[in-house]
Amino acid sequence: MQAAAGNEGSPRKVYPVKYVVFLFVLLVFLTMPAWAPRYTVFIFLLFFLYLAVSEMWNLLAGYSGLVSLGQQVFVGLGGYTVAVLSVYYGINIWISVVLGGLMAVAIALIISIPLFRMKGAYFAIATLIVGESCKIFFGNWQYVRQGQGIMITASYHMSTTLEYYIALVIGAGSVALMYLILRSGFGLGLMAIRDNDVSAETLGVEIFRFKLSCFLISAFVTGIAGGMFYIYQVYIQPASAFAIDWIVVMLFVVIIGGIGTIEGPVIGSIIYVLLQQYLSQYNGLDLLILGAVAIVVILVAPAGIWGTLQEKYGFEILTARRR
Amino acid sequence: MAHITLQILLSGIMLGTLYAIIAIGLSAVFGIMGIINLAHGDLMIGASYISFVTLGLMGGNAFISLVIVVPVLALIGFALQHFLLNRVMNKKGAEPVLLTTFGLSVIIENGLLLVFSPNTQTLARSLALRGIPLGPSFSIPLIYVIDFFVGLAVIVGFAVFLKKTYLGLAIRAASDDETAATLQGVNCRLVYSYTMGVSMITAAIAGVLVGTTFTFFPYTGTDYLTLAFGVIVIGGLGNLAGTLAAGIILGLAQLTGSYLLGTGNQLLAAYLVLLIVLAIKPQGIFSRA
């Protein structure tokens, strides 16, 4: 059992401490709508959604070595599926969210055929182009009312508390998913691929299948988070759904928090949401500061806040290491 | 029908040459230093804005502003590489550099948004509207012709620079083998900084041309970045003739797409061609690899 810093001599006594803290935090989140002001609940709703998409980006970039600059495609697809299904066909909104995730997976499967032929930088560029193409396509598509967007009528009267809890499930679920994936044999294979893919392949790790699985998993979760996000927003339009701003968020959350760590995006997401709220009145300044901070972090602490903590003090809560 | 085809053909070639200039700076940096400068498009639009400011302060036409814009951008490029990117290149992996340039792109875009409004701007209206009549029913915008000749000049000039000058030789040596070049007395990091400076010179010229040919606003950089990538990918790295050919292909694809699918979807046509090429031969149609 990994001993927390300072308690080497008595591993058995240490066992409860970090899990108690963990449980306490979980309880705080679970009961938040009961005691926190509505504004705080809003903030944490966003936090959980950003956390989910960032953990997925982290799965791709930090653990599979796939830097994707096009994740917003899945966000948009999830959101639009919810909008189209619930508004045009009257399908129950929660089913639409799940279907949104599945639609994202389907599209991911299709585009993976050309995309996975490319490596590294070319892959990143290709995902960027797919993202931009989607934005243009949806902006000109009559079926989804082009640039005007769609109002998601089913969420007009939805309570914030309900939205918060769903977001909590999605966000906490994504963290749990990461934890389970990385502790499994699949995760071991992923980290082997990241470190040296040729060696991994000679040891029997099927690179293509592993990368594809990660891609599909990330598409699903991102699609669901996207669907939920636009339920909260009530209004979806291509310029926002397929905006490169989503990648900016994921990138900075993961870099500032710590790439390749599970806890990193948690910290990064909190920082981002707080920064975004605090600077919301200065249009564009929040992204600018975030960009500057990210560059500084890359120079000074390339492993991010959590990554540096992990390296320097051996401090881990959700370790991906196997015991 | 023939008229339209001819018009698309000529416009496509000229537009494509513009795209080639935009791409050449990006290609040089990618081929020589292995850096994908995601901020290239934004730096180019930054040049357009600097030209805009210069025109506002001094009057005159867009090409005169080049006198100011080119040195400013060359300096910015040099400083960027020397103080920031060279340091980031030391970190392991390709991600830190990619993400740094992405961060730069975000900073530049939002910075431009803050300083200038989100409204579209343009640099020289009279030039863009004047056309050269080439037949009974159509004419080529004069600015396209200017784009074409300036583009050719830049590309040829760049090729000559790489072949004949000492700095060009040093750049090629550093890109071939950093250690061997260092042993021959080439300060590779300094050479990289100069390369970025040269790349920014092409970006400056491209920026002024783009600003005169089309309208622009703070986020235009991304569109041109994507197109520039397209050119590089199709044309192959470090292949100047290929870059020119690829630019023309994309220009033709875009204009054909505009004619067939409507102007809203014109970029989509170019992107589709690009994705197809990426899927079939990622090193580029014209690459020697």
Side-chain angles (χ1 to χ4, degrees):
Chain A
M1 203 46 83
Q2 172 75 16
N7 274 352
E8 260 85 48
S10 48
R12 230 169 283 259
K13 225 186 272 179
V14 164
Y15 176 79
V17 173
K18 101 183 150 180
Y19 286 92
V20 164
V21 171
F22 196 57
L23 238 66
F24 179 69
V25 168
L26 208 63
L27 243 103
V28 165
F29 282 136
L30 281 172
T31 58
M32 191 169 284
W35 51 264
R38 204 150 171 255
Y39 184 60
T40 314
V41 174
F42 268 134
I43 291 191
F44 277 94
L45 195 161
L46 286 177
F47 161 72
F48 281 114
L49 291 178
Y50 287 140
L51 178 63
V53 299
S54 305
E55 286 282 4
M56 288 302 111
W57 196 87
N58 189 20
L59 177 67
L60 284 180
Y63 287 100
S64 320
L66 294 168
V67 176
S68 162
L69 297 175
Q71 287 295 88
Q72 67 267 29
V73 169
F74 306 130
V75 172
L77 280 173
Y80 264 103
T81 310
V82 167
V84 165
L85 287 181
S86 67
V87 172
Y88 290 7
Y89 301 110
I91 297 183
N92 173 281
I93 203 156
W94 303 118
I95 299 183
S96 307
V97 170
V98 174
L99 286 177
L102 291 176
M103 175 64 85
V105 173
I107 300 291
L109 202 58
I110 297 176
I111 63 176
S112 71
I113 300 174
L115 276 183
F116 273 49
R117 299 181 58 133
M118 312 168 214
K119 290 208 152 182
Y122 290 107
F123 178 81
I125 297 173
T127 54
L128 184 69
I129 294 174
V130 170
E132 289 294 298
S133 305
C134 273
K135 185 164 77 165
I136 297 179
F137 183 68
F138 272 77
N140 288 311
W141 197 13
Q142 297 273 19
Y143 181 61
V144 295
R145 301 185 200 159
Q146 301 180 317
Q148 283 182 312
I150 303 179
M151 297 285 282
I152 302 178
T153 47
S155 55
Y156 278 174
H157 303 292
M158 194 172 293
S159 79
T160 315
T161 312
L162 181 61
E163 291 177 353
Y164 170 79
Y165 278 121
I166 302 289
L168 176 87
V169 166
I170 297 177
S174 70
V175 173
L177 186 68
M178 285 290 280
Y179 187 63
L180 288 172
I181 289 180
L182 293 173
R183 298 283 293 219
S184 71
F186 183 71
L188 196 60
L190 277 182
M191 289 190 271
I193 294 178
R194 177 193 59 178
D195 289 338
N196 189 330
D197 54 358
V198 178
S199 312
E201 197 157 27
T202 49
L203 286 170
V205 174
E206 293 167 61
I207 298 186
F208 179 72
R209 204 167 59 83
F210 273 65
K211 285 191 177 181
L212 185 63
S213 308
C214 280
F215 195 55
L216 295 179
I217 292 174
S218 79
F220 183 67
V221 177
T222 309
I224 290 190
M228 189 59 234
F229 183 80
Y230 283 103
I231 290 180
Y232 159 73
Q233 287 273 77
V234 182
Y235 173 58
I236 187 170
Q237 54 170 334
S240 130
F242 295 105
I244 224 162
D245 293 19
W246 281 103
I247 293 294
V248 174
V249 173
M250 295 177 211
L251 218 82
F252 294 152
V253 163
V254 170
I255 292 193
I256 294 178
I259 199 168
T261 66
I262 305 181
E263 310 88 329
V266 175
I267 297 185
S269 301
I270 292 200
I271 295 180
Y272 175 72
V273 170
L274 290 177
L275 203 67
Q276 185 193 36
Q277 293 301 312
Y278 182 61
L279 293 170
S280 58
Q281 67 249 52
Y282 312 111
N283 187 25
L285 194 63
D286 59 338
L287 286 181
L288 201 145
I289 292 188
L290 220 50
V293 170
I295 291 185
V296 168
V297 166
I298 291 181
L299 279 176
V300 164
I305 296 181
W306 190 262
T308 317
L309 271 177
Q310 206 170 0
E311 278 173 16
K312 292 211 160 151
Y313 303 111
F315 181 61
E316 298 172 337
I317 295 184
L318 289 173
T319 171
R321 275 204 267 278
R322 305 154 72 86
R323 287 280 167 263
Chain B
M1 186 62 202
H3 280 163
I4 301 180
T5 320
L6 193 59
Q7 176 152 23
I8 293 182
L9 203 66
L10 283 176
S11 303
I13 292 179
M14 299 190 181
L15 192 64
T17 317
L18 178 62
Y19 290 160
I21 316 179
I22 301 176
I24 208 154
L26 195 60
S27 173
V29 165
F30 192 13
I32 293 167
M33 286 121 66
I35 294 178
I36 298 194
N37 186 359
L38 289 173
H40 190 88
D42 299 296
L43 285 162
M44 182 189 81
I45 295 293
S48 311
Y49 272 104
I50 295 178
S51 170
F52 180 70
V53 167
T54 316
L55 281 183
L57 290 176
M58 286 182 356
N61 85 43
F63 296 101
I64 305 216
S65 69
L66 275 176
V67 171
I68 305 259
V69 178
V70 167
V72 167
L73 237 77
L75 232 83
I76 292 180
F78 185 87
L80 215 62
Q81 181 68 32
H82 200 68
F83 297 115
L84 181 64
L85 289 174
N86 272 341
R87 224 165 283 185
V88 181
M89 274 169 77
N90 290 327
K91 315 278 177 188
K92 58 174 176 167
E95 288 98 44
V97 179
L98 197 69
L99 301 173
T100 309
T101 56
F102 192 69
L104 276 171
S105 159
V106 169
I107 292 178
I108 295 175
E109 276 179 6
N110 287 287
L112 286 175
L113 195 64
L114 280 174
V115 174
F116 307 97
S117 69
N119 296 330
T120 58
Q121 316 282 358
T122 190
L123 287 181
R125 265 160 284 213
S126 61
L127 270 176
L129 294 179
R130 225 182 294 164
I132 298 182
L134 279 178
S137 58
F138 74 104
S139 64
I140 298 280
L142 175 64
I143 190 65
Y144 276 27
V145 180
I146 297 181
D147 288 344
F148 179 65
F149 285 112
V150 173
L152 273 184
V154 166
I155 292 181
V156 169
F158 194 65
V160 167
F161 165 74
L162 280 180
K163 275 238 162 76
K164 306 281 184 178
T165 66
Y166 178 78
L167 183 56
L169 198 61
I171 289 177
R172 283 189 289 140
S175 93
D176 283 343
D177 189 332
E178 194 173 346
T179 320
T182 316
L183 286 173
Q184 296 289 326
V186 174
N187 181 345
C188 282
R189 292 295 149 133
L190 193 60
V191 162
Y192 292 158
S193 306
Y194 282 126
T195 311
M196 186 60 88
V198 170
S199 161
M200 285 301 114
I201 292 179
T202 63
I205 299 176
V208 169
L209 285 178
V210 162
T212 341
T213 317
F214 306 109
T215 57
F216 59 95
F217 64 101
Y219 291 136
T220 325
T222 320
D223 292 335
Y224 288 109
L225 181 74
T226 328
L227 280 169
F229 275 140
V231 173
I232 295 180
V233 161
I234 296 181
L237 277 180
N239 182 345
L240 291 177
T243 308
L244 184 59
I248 293 179
I249 291 178
L250 275 180
L252 284 171
Q254 179 181 341
L255 287 178
T256 316
S258 162
Y259 176 65
L260 293 173
L261 301 172
T263 42
N265 281 321
Q266 59 183 324
L267 280 177
L268 197 60
Y271 290 168
L272 279 173
V273 169
L274 174 56
L275 280 173
I276 294 175
V277 173
L278 262 179
I280 301 177
K281 191 167 190 246
Q283 313 91 292
I285 300 182
F286 296 99
S287 87
R288 302 183 198 105

